[in-house]
Amino acid sequence: SAVISQKPSRDICQRGTSLTIQCQVDSQVTMMFWYRQQPGQSLTLIATANQGSEATYESGFVIDKFPISRPNLTFSTLTVSNMSPEDSSIYLCSVDPQGGETQYFGPGTRLLVL
Amino acid sequence: TQLLEQSPQFLSIQEGENLTVYCNSSSVFSSLQWYRQEPGEGPVLLVTVVTGGEVKKLKRLTFQFGDARKDSSLHITAAQPGDTGLYLCAGARWDNYGQNFVFGPGTRLSVLP
């Protein structure tokens, strides 16, 4: 398993600003994932972040809006840029420590954009 | 179109009742996971099933992976209020970019005391 922490746990932001979310893992992992979960909805994958390569974005998500950093095997950041109220959501990072069949999730970052 | 469908979407039952949640797809997955998510928390892994036809038990929870690895079920016996939450199934698959996970829409369970 893996223990994952996220910062901030929640934030309220103004339209047009940017927020960077941090994800820290207690062990070295190759694959990290960033998800969005809108109120009352399931999880939607934003991108996969592997250390040493550029993040791979899913359809509907672009690097300019959601730039991702992956400087080492235990840490990643997701930035939500030029925010609008539609970006209000829970943002979750997850890892797949065995590179196999299972993900473990952080507690999420609750973002409200006014 | 959802790659993974879950049913029912909402379920409200009394404590002590049994229930089954279904996760279905037309795609084959290398494995399937079930998560429970409580309000204000991230999803917590309950189980991973890998082999077609596999059955796993976790106390009052029984998970089954379909023979063709396209569907799964979660059965809860004698539900308790602590079982309340959003139950998510997720399928793991490989594509040209590596492995990724697809989530179902979730089943929101409420167990009333």
Side-chain angles (χ1 to χ4, degrees):
Chain A
S1 66
V3 178
I4 304 164
S5 60
Q6 287 185 232
K7 289 182 182 179
S9 58
R10 60 180 67 240
D11 207 344
I12 301 174
C13 301
Q14 294 297 321
R15 181 195 298 261
T17 63
S18 298
L19 176 71
T20 295
I21 302 168
Q22 299 178 9
C23 179
Q24 181 76 50
V25 190
D26 69 341
S27 58
Q28 294 185 341
V29 294
T30 301
M31 301 180 75
M32 295 182 77
F33 305 90
W34 285 98
Y35 287 84
R36 181 172 71 185
Q37 185 177 27
Q38 294 181 307
Q41 303 295 318
S42 185
L43 279 68
T44 301
L45 181 65
I46 297 172
T48 301
N50 293 338
Q51 197 271 337
S53 62
E54 287 193 7
T56 303
Y57 290 81
E58 296 298 302
S59 175
F61 298 96
V62 295
I63 187 171
D64 289 347
K65 175 67 175 177
F66 296 101
I68 288 171
S69 78
R70 185 76 204 275
N72 58 52
L73 290 172
T74 63
F75 187 79
S76 178
T77 67
L78 169 76
T79 299
V80 187
S81 303
N82 188 25
M83 288 184 285
S84 66
E86 292 71 33
D87 293 320
S88 297
S89 190
I90 300 172
Y91 291 86
L92 295 146
C93 73
S94 74
V95 301
D96 178 15
Q98 286 88 27
E101 309 293 347
T102 299
Q103 290 184 95
Y104 298 90
F105 284 86
T109 295
R110 281 141 197 84
L111 171 62
L112 176 64
V113 184
L114 302 177
Chain B
T1 302
Q2 284 276 1
L3 195 59
L4 271 174
E5 303 284 348
Q6 285 185 241
S7 61
Q9 290 188 33
F10 300 94
L11 186 58
S12 182
I13 61 172
Q14 292 294 134
E15 182 176 3
E17 293 183 4
N18 302 332
L19 67 117
T20 302
V21 177
Y22 299 93
C23 177
N24 297 292
S25 177
S26 58
S27 299
V28 176
F29 294 100
S30 58
S31 69
L32 197 138
Q33 297 83 43
W34 284 94
Y35 296 84
R36 181 172 69 220
Q37 185 179 24
E38 299 185 28
E41 305 289 334
V44 174
L45 178 70
L46 296 174
V47 78
T48 299
V49 286
V50 179
T51 305
E54 181 177 6
V55 176
K56 281 190 174 179
K57 292 195 174 185
L58 182 66
K59 297 183 180 179
R60 294 178 293 101
L61 279 60
T62 301
F63 305 85
Q64 184 162 9
F65 201 13
D67 291 342
R69 306 210 314 275
K70 293 182 179 181
D71 54 80
S72 180
S73 64
L74 158 59
H75 182 81
I76 301 179
T77 303
Q80 299 177 0
D83 296 326
T84 294
L86 177 67
Y87 288 81
L88 296 159
C89 67
R93 58 179 185 168
W94 293 86
D95 59 24
N96 292 338
Y97 302 100
Q99 186 175 62
N100 61 67
F101 298 85
V102 177
F103 278 80
T107 293
R108 198 164 296 277
L109 171 66
S110 177
V111 182
L112 306 174

